[in-house]
Amino acid sequence: MRETTSMPRRLEAWLAANGRPASVTGYELMTGGFSRDMARVDLVWADGTPETLVMRGDPPPDLATLDSDRDAEWALLESLNRIEHLCVPQARFYCSDPTVFGTKAIFMEFVPGGSVQACLDAGLDQMETADRLVDLMAAVALVEPAQVPSLPCPASWDDHIDAVLQRWSTLARSHPEAQPITRYLAAWMRTRRPQPLPLRLQHADLQAGNVVAAPDAWRIVDWEFARIGDPREDLGYYNAYSGAVPPNLSQLDLTRFLARFREATGFSEDAVNPLTFGYFTVLSTITAVEGLMAGSAAMARAERRGIPIAFNTMLVTIGSRNFMEAVGAMESALEAATAAA
Amino acid sequence: MITRPTTEQILTDCAREVRETLMPTVDGTLKVTLEMLEQVLAHCALRAGHEIAWMAEEISTTEPYVRDVVDALGDTATAAALDALRSGRTDSLHLDDRCREYHLAGEALACAIEAALGAADAPLTRRGVVLLEARRDRESVLRPNFFFPGRA
């Protein structure tokens, strides 16, 4: 997929072999996809209709920064395209044979407009954007497990939280070097378990870089880490991520941010509030942190290489900072509440 | 052995070269890679200059805390980790030796704070958190001018 010279010819051959003859007029690797390789494919179909697609595949294994499953992502995209209230790029084709392009490859519609992150950098109104992002998070949190049957569904909320907490504990003990901060976070989360909510779809990497600001409707992209989970996880993940990649729009007016989410989802203030927001800021990031630390561990064992993996060692420490701040704020709030009582 | 310029100076200048000379000449995915490389070099420069001393400092502040947790709570896992740390102490200044000792101190600190939290011992938990916060603050120093390339 990274061989830009040969890719147009290989794409034309694959499309023709699958009954979709076209001329590929442009092939360009895209930035922005951090864990996956992505390319913009300009083509003209046999009837003369032009179209632009996004091709999405895996980097070579020894250069991979995070692992996820293209078969699962494709199955999920097909389900998401059938959910009317969700704005997601249309999935077009899938090549499940990794020998064709050197990777399994998903093809989907190219959505013009650039990411919301880029628009914010260019001066997009932050408060208005915060509202729109909350609406997108709520739209995801309204998707019930039965609507995305390809995703494994835990038997209960308790089972899900237990499993995530176990992943944190395992992660903290499996790195080649002791991780006292991660061990503390894992232990702390066991002591501060929030009240349950119904299990729902969670994108698990929902932040401004993964929303395309198309003129007609903003689209959520990069669903590779999506799972069934607690509907507050995307809220918390946004806070954790945007603490590292500003602006963090949840902090403009957290009361408003959470109230809007409650209004759109129907969840109560007992369940969605600054304390649970802090809790899920930590808990929700398990998949990302696992991936980052797995890459670092593999580099320490000389099994993986590359500048992005070296760079990711710094991201792990940014997570530590943000999580410690979230835990500290939550503990302070609890102490204040206890004193007031 | 030539020690001047120091490793820190050499890596810092390599980072500058990437930032000022190479990055303006490229775009797209290559620019993102160079933006990461520049930050990795700056990070490594700081580590090269200070990491042995910083590990030694953290180890020296960790051991008394772990000892107090063992004395107060009698936690067996923490006691074992403290024994491992004490038997693993080294005067060697080689980086791998220091990393091994730092790992033992980190394991002991992790066990101690888990024990304190499990026992709901607020003062000992707070002391452990202060040590973690110091570690976190030092990690922040190692990320000068951090930004996330290519995320727009």
Side-chain angles (χ1 to χ4, degrees):
Chain A
M1 190 175 163
R2 295 183 176 191
E3 295 166 9
T4 54
T5 307
S6 67
M7 276 302 294
R9 178 179 45 77
R10 293 161 70 185
L11 281 164
E12 287 174 354
W14 182 75
L15 288 167
N18 286 275
R20 304 185 194 97
S23 300
V24 175
T25 57
Y27 181 87
E28 185 180 356
L29 295 175
M30 298 171 70
T31 60
F34 189 61
S35 61
R36 306 270 74 81
D37 282 354
M38 294 203 299
R40 172 182 167 139
V41 181
D42 296 304
L43 48 76
V44 179
W45 297 110
D47 66 359
T49 308
E51 184 169 7
T52 300
L53 300 174
V54 171
M55 179 181 180
R56 179 172 165 85
D58 299 321
D62 62 336
L63 296 175
T65 54
L66 297 167
D67 295 321
S68 63
D69 182 344
R70 259 5 76 228
D71 292 342
E73 185 178 359
W74 173 252
L76 175 64
L77 286 173
E78 288 189 304
S79 296
L80 296 178
N81 283 164
R82 291 192 287 269
I83 299 173
E84 202 166 311
H85 77 268
L86 265 191
C87 287
V88 178
Q90 283 294 314
R92 297 297 306 279
F93 321 118
Y94 183 48
C95 177
S96 62
D97 179 355
T99 65
V100 178
F101 301 118
T103 168
K104 295 178 179 181
I106 291 170
F107 295 86
M108 60 190 121
E109 71 166 327
F110 174 82
V111 180
S115 75
V116 168
Q117 183 74 43
C119 294
L120 285 166
D121 292 345
L124 186 66
D125 182 83
Q126 293 195 357
M127 189 59 84
E128 185 183 330
T129 303
D131 288 346
R132 295 185 72 174
L133 285 176
V134 172
D135 293 345
L136 291 177
M137 291 176 198
V140 175
L142 288 170
V143 176
E144 299 191 5
Q147 294 176 274
V148 282
S150 64
L151 291 181
C153 185
S156 69
W157 183 87
D158 280 315
D159 281 1
H160 169 65
I161 296 297
D162 285 343
V164 176
L165 290 175
Q166 185 56 49
R167 286 169 66 189
W168 272 103
S169 295
T170 302
L171 170 69
R173 285 175 165 77
S174 60
H175 200 68
E177 180 180 16
Q179 298 291 315
I181 291 179
T182 311
R183 291 268 288 273
Y184 167 66
L185 294 170
W188 176 85
M189 283 188 282
R190 289 191 184 280
T191 68
R192 297 293 188 196
R193 203 175 173 102
Q195 70 165 251
L197 279 179
L199 293 171
R200 296 288 170 81
L201 174 66
Q202 291 294 276
H203 178 281
D205 191 13
L206 188 41
Q207 35 84 13
N210 278 338
V211 179
V212 178
D216 55 345
W218 288 6
R219 314 283 212 291
I220 306 173
V221 299
D222 284 7
W223 289 85
E224 63 182 306
F225 301 121
R227 60 175 179 258
I228 300 300
D230 184 291
R232 294 163 288 195
E233 290 178 38
D234 275 345
L235 283 175
Y237 181 89
Y238 174 80
N239 187 40
Y241 182 92
S242 301
V245 186
N248 183 350
L249 303 182
S250 69
Q251 299 305 317
L252 293 176
D253 185 345
L254 182 60
T255 302
R256 171 182 167 137
F257 195 85
L258 298 179
R260 192 176 179 94
F261 184 79
R262 288 194 300 268
E263 185 179 353
T265 58
F267 297 137
S268 73
E269 192 166 358
D270 286 342
V272 180
N273 56 56
L275 296 182
T276 57
F277 184 68
Y279 185 88
F280 284 100
T281 293
V282 184
L283 183 109
S284 63
T285 59
I286 181 63
T287 301
V289 176
E290 276 176 342
L292 295 174
M293 290 183 68
S296 295
M299 180 172 258
R301 294 191 301 265
E303 295 168 359
R304 288 195 188 179
R305 62 192 172 88
I307 292 168
I309 294 175
F311 179 80
N312 282 352
T313 61
M314 287 191 285
L315 289 183
V316 171
T317 65
I318 287 184
S320 299
R321 180 199 66 192
N322 293 343
F323 302 153
M324 291 290 288
E325 285 176 2
V327 169
M330 189 167 167
E331 286 299 315
S332 297
L334 287 167
E335 280 175 25
T338 303
Chain B
M1 190 171 77
I2 294 172
T3 63
R4 302 283 180 183
T6 63
T7 306
E8 182 175 15
Q9 287 175 308
I10 290 169
L11 291 176
T12 298
D13 196 58
C14 288
R16 182 202 56 76
E17 188 81 7
V18 170
R19 183 172 58 250
E20 295 179 2
T21 306
L22 298 180
M23 276 161 44
T25 66
V26 298
D27 54 19
T29 54
L30 187 53
K31 184 178 182 190
V32 171
T33 302
L34 287 180
E35 287 173 341
M36 288 183 179
L37 176 61
E38 185 268 336
Q39 292 190 66
V40 168
L41 288 170
H43 170 77
C44 289
L46 279 167
R47 277 179 58 170
H50 306 286
E51 67 184 333
I52 288 178
W54 286 350
M55 283 191 281
E57 286 173 21
E58 288 187 32
I59 292 166
S60 69
T61 56
T62 295
E63 186 171 344
Y65 168 69
V66 177
R67 185 194 59 225
D68 290 349
V69 170
V70 171
D71 290 346
L73 304 177
D75 180 69
T76 55
T78 308
L82 180 60
D83 286 346
L85 172 60
R86 284 172 171 164
S87 61
R89 295 302 295 261
T90 175
D91 294 328
S92 168
L93 295 177
H94 287 287
L95 184 58
D96 275 344
D97 295 331
R98 279 290 170 191
C99 287
R100 268 190 289 276
E101 189 179 357
Y102 188 66
H103 162 71
L104 293 172
E107 177 65 22
L109 174 57
C111 289
I113 199 163
E114 283 174 341
L117 203 56
D121 188 318
L124 280 176
T125 301
R126 184 62 208 150
R127 278 182 61 194
V129 168
V130 167
L131 293 174
L132 295 180
E133 287 171 344
R135 183 180 276 234
R136 172 205 65 189
D137 291 344
R138 193 151 265 164
E139 288 171 345
S140 296
V141 171
L142 290 171
R143 299 185 305 266
N145 306 314
F146 174 85
F147 71 101
F148 204 152
R151 296 308 282 168

